């Protein structure tokens, strides 16, 4: 379980395609010291298991074909930035909402509208995913806990505060970009 509060933006070091999936390595200097093989880490919202570590800051993950078929992890290239969050412990406050790390589908950024110092982001999704959402309910976009402000048949809008823009990969995104989506 996770909270959707991103603790580090890491960078993909390497993706190696193999039979049955791939191996991804991510540079995570802040989280590296506390992570161990076997620990869960949400990478752009998808729960992955750390398989090994390599100094100075690389974490490695095996990603199954099933996970690749349901997420955007297979599209990652060296240098891509990713949102990282270690699994929830009883020692940390739940600042976002409970997130499982199981991706329900893919969302496409359709509109970005400045609103003061915030940005409203509208995402297109299949109607079947909107059926499980509610206005003022929670959603995780690439692992980021956000609140649905407006809900339509095939789209929803969230208001993103400046802190969330700065501390996640959202500031890098543009219209047409795709995201891992976990509904609440």
């Amino acid at each position: 379980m996770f909270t959707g509060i991103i603790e580090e933006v890491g960078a993909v070091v390497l993706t190696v395609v193999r039979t049955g999936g791939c191996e991804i390595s991510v540079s995570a200097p802040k989280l590296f010291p506390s992570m161990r093989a076997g620990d869960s880490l949400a990478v752009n919202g998808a729960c992955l298991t750390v398989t090994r570590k390599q100094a100075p800051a690389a974490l490695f993950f095996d990603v199954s074909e099933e996970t690749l078929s349901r997420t955007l992890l297979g599209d990652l290239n060296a240098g891509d930035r990713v949102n990282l969050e270690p699994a929830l412990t009883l020692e940390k406050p739940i600042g976002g909402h409970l997130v499982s790390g199981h991706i329900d589908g893919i969302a496409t950024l359709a509109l970005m509208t400045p609103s003061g110092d915030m940005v409203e982001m509208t995402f297109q999704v299949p109607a079947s995913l909107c059926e499980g959402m509610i206005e003022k309910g929670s959603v995780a976009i690439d692992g980021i806990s956000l609140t649905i402000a407006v809900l339509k048949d095939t789209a929803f809008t969230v208001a993103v505060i400046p802190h969330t823009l700065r501390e996640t990969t959202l500031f890098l995104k543009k219209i047409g970009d795709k995201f891992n989506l976990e509904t609440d």
Side-chain angles (χ1 to χ4, degrees):
M1 295 298 291
F2 305 92
T3 65
I5 303 298
I6 304 306
E7 292 193 19
E8 181 172 4
V9 174
V12 174
V13 176
L14 181 65
T15 300
V16 178
V17 177
R18 329 183 258 204
T19 303
C22 74
E23 180 181 58
I24 295 174
S25 64
V26 174
S27 176
K30 180 179 171 187
L31 294 173
F32 182 84
S34 64
M35 299 303 296
R36 299 182 326 247
D39 285 351
S40 293
L41 186 70
V43 178
N44 276 356
C47 179
L48 300 179
T49 301
V50 176
T51 57
R52 62 187 172 99
K53 295 171 55 170
Q54 182 178 325
L59 301 172
F60 291 80
F61 310 90
D62 289 329
V63 184
S64 70
E65 283 183 15
E66 170 68 13
T67 300
L68 292 173
S69 74
R70 296 182 180 269
T71 70
L72 298 168
L73 295 178
D75 296 341
L76 293 174
N77 295 302
D80 286 348
R81 309 290 284 168
V82 290
N83 295 313
L84 303 172
E85 180 192 0
L88 178 64
T89 69
L90 296 178
E91 299 165 350
K92 293 189 312 192
I94 301 174
H97 73 281
L98 291 178
V99 177
S100 70
H102 301 163
I103 304 304
D104 296 309
I106 305 301
T108 302
L109 183 58
L111 186 63
M112 292 177 69
T113 308
S115 178
D117 58 353
M118 295 185 247
V119 174
E120 292 180 353
M121 300 176 88
T122 300
F123 296 90
Q124 291 292 135
V125 295
S128 60
L129 290 175
C130 282
E131 291 171 3
M133 298 180 191
I134 58 170
E135 283 190 6
K136 309 305 178 239
S138 299
V139 66
I141 296 290
D142 274 356
I144 305 161
S145 176
L146 297 165
T147 302
I148 298 169
V150 177
L151 180 63
K152 304 282 185 182
D153 291 336
T154 60
F156 66 92
T157 301
V158 296
V160 183
I161 64 172
H163 176 82
T164 303
L165 283 171
R166 282 191 311 271
E167 299 299 320
T168 69
T169 59
L170 288 179
F171 76 95
L172 299 168
K173 302 303 182 178
K174 59 189 179 313
I175 303 299
D177 284 351
K178 297 189 179 309
F179 298 78
N180 292 322
L181 171 68
E182 181 178 334
T183 61
D184 195 11

